[in-house]
């Protein structure tokens, strides 16, 4: 379980998180939606220690993480696998080595089983053996995203954190990524927290949707509840989805 309680974060005079409180239960797919600049990605970065809160409490499986040292965050990063907005693959390494990099660092396999485990992780994202020797610049953007997801799930985290996973993707690829998030969450029995602007995607696969405005949660609920919500921000996102259809 992930919990934020009354978390504040400012960058100079700009308050980004302003008393943010939320919880994500084990096994859930939760979408965090809101306009740009309201602190969605900042929230994720707090979970893996890339940012520290000015005040408030953050716990992962009951463990308070706000005061951990860099070395102590290693185990949290093993538990919370983050898929960044852009693939962030290592350009000098082929697909095999990109996926193996994290597995070796976390000691999740031995040399004898490494190749088969890498192939299994590629199968989870619907890629085959043919991409193993390819370098990132030889892959489409959509395929790079899939490799980055395979690299993240390879260490078998308990939580998958997705930061705008469908950025720069066309509608077909966007649907494919959402299907993949749902499939991985159920197949691997992991908890997924997804940062997004995509209300349609959230309605299609989320267990719960959290709306962020002014650095805090202003509306939340199941997809069925959110469709009936009267909150102005939620209505704006629903109307935007209808206009794009």
């Amino acid at each position: 379980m992930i919990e934020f309680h009354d978390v504040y974060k400012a960058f100079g005079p700009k308050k980004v998180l302003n008393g943010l409180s939320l919880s994500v239960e084990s096994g859930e797919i939760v979408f965090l939606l809101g306009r740009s600049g309201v602190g969605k990605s900042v929230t994720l970065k707090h979970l893996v220690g890339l940012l520290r809160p000015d005040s408030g409490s953050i716990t992962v499986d009951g463990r308070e993480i706000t005061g951990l040292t860099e070395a102590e965050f290693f185990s949290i990063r093993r538990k919370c696998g983050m898929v960044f907005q852009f693939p962030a693959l290592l350009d000098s390494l082929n697909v095999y080595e990109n996926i193996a990099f994290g597995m070796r660092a976390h000691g999740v396999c031995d040399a004898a089983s490494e190749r088969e485990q890498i192939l299994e992780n590629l199968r989870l994202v619907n890629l085959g053996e043919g991409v193993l020797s390819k370098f990132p610049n030889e892959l489409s953007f959509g395929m790079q995203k899939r490799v980055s997801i395979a690299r993240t799930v390879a260490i078998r985290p308990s939580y998958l954190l997705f930061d705008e996973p469908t950025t720069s993707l066309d509608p077909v690829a966007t649907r494919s990524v959402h299907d993949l998030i749902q499939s991985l969450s159920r197949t691997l029995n992991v908890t997924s927290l997804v940062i997004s602007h995509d209300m349609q995607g959230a309605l299609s696969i989320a267990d719960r949707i959290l709306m962020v405005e002014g650095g805090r949660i202003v509306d939340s609920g199941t997809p069925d509840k959110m469709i009936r919500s009267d909150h102005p921000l939620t209505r704006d996102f629903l109307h935007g989805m209808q206009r794009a259809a």
Side-chain angles (χ1 to χ4, degrees):
M1 183 177 184
I2 292 171
E3 292 183 287
F4 283 66
H5 179 68
D6 204 26
V7 173
Y8 287 79
K9 181 65 178 179
F11 298 98
K14 181 176 175 57
K15 290 183 178 180
V16 179
L17 301 184
N18 191 28
L20 180 81
S21 294
L22 63 84
S23 64
V24 181
E25 299 285 346
S26 178
E28 281 192 305
I29 300 174
V30 174
F31 270 62
L32 199 61
L33 269 63
R35 299 186 177 93
S36 298
V38 297
K40 302 186 304 297
S41 295
V42 167
T43 300
L44 280 195
K45 290 175 181 177
H46 278 79
L47 280 171
V48 291
L50 296 177
L51 292 172
R52 305 296 180 104
D54 298 329
S55 63
S57 172
I58 303 171
T59 61
V60 176
D61 293 339
R63 183 183 184 186
E64 172 65 55
I65 68 171
T66 52
L68 296 184
T69 65
E70 183 65 20
E72 288 170 333
F73 252 110
F74 187 80
S75 63
I76 299 298
R77 291 170 184 152
R78 166 72 173 78
K79 184 175 288 191
C80 297
M82 188 159 178
V83 179
F84 292 94
Q85 184 173 3
F86 295 97
L89 299 174
L90 298 171
D91 292 336
S92 61
L93 302 181
N94 63 21
V95 168
Y96 184 102
E97 292 296 329
N98 261 286
I99 297 175
F101 186 86
M103 295 170 64
R104 293 167 183 165
H106 288 279
V108 298
C109 72
D110 55 38
S113 62
E114 183 178 271
R115 181 181 175 85
E116 183 52 41
Q117 288 194 41
I118 288 172
L119 286 172
E120 174 59 25
N121 288 301
L122 285 175
R123 286 191 285 268
L124 286 170
V125 299
N126 301 317
L127 291 175
E129 187 174 358
V131 303
L132 283 178
S133 63
K134 293 186 180 295
F135 288 82
N137 63 2
E138 299 178 285
L139 303 175
S140 69
F141 187 80
M143 290 179 73
Q144 289 183 44
K145 295 279 277 195
R146 287 177 178 272
V147 172
S148 74
I149 294 171
R151 179 182 61 184
T152 300
V153 302
I155 63 171
R156 293 299 184 266
S158 302
Y159 301 94
L160 289 174
L161 313 177
F162 295 91
D163 188 6
E164 298 283 2
T166 58
T167 294
S168 302
L169 296 181
D170 61 54
V172 173
T174 293
R175 179 67 224 183
S176 178
V177 168
H178 285 145
D179 288 345
L180 185 57
I181 291 171
Q182 185 176 47
S183 173
L184 289 171
S185 299
R186 303 314 185 210
T187 300
L188 300 177
N189 193 30
V190 296
T191 305
S192 293
L193 179 57
V194 185
I195 303 302
S196 182
H197 291 93
D198 187 349
M199 177 61 87
Q200 184 171 356
L203 292 174
S204 68
I205 70 167
D207 295 309
R208 283 192 300 129
I209 299 168
L210 311 178
M211 303 299 299
V212 186
E213 190 170 49
R216 63 181 65 189
I217 306 300
V218 295
D219 196 14
S220 64
T222 64
D224 285 345
K225 177 184 175 183
M226 299 305 275
I227 287 173
R228 300 189 298 271
S229 174
D230 291 327
H231 193 281
L233 179 64
T234 306
R235 299 312 307 172
D236 283 349
F237 268 73
L238 290 168
H239 290 153
M241 178 187 75
Q242 294 164 0
R243 289 195 299 270

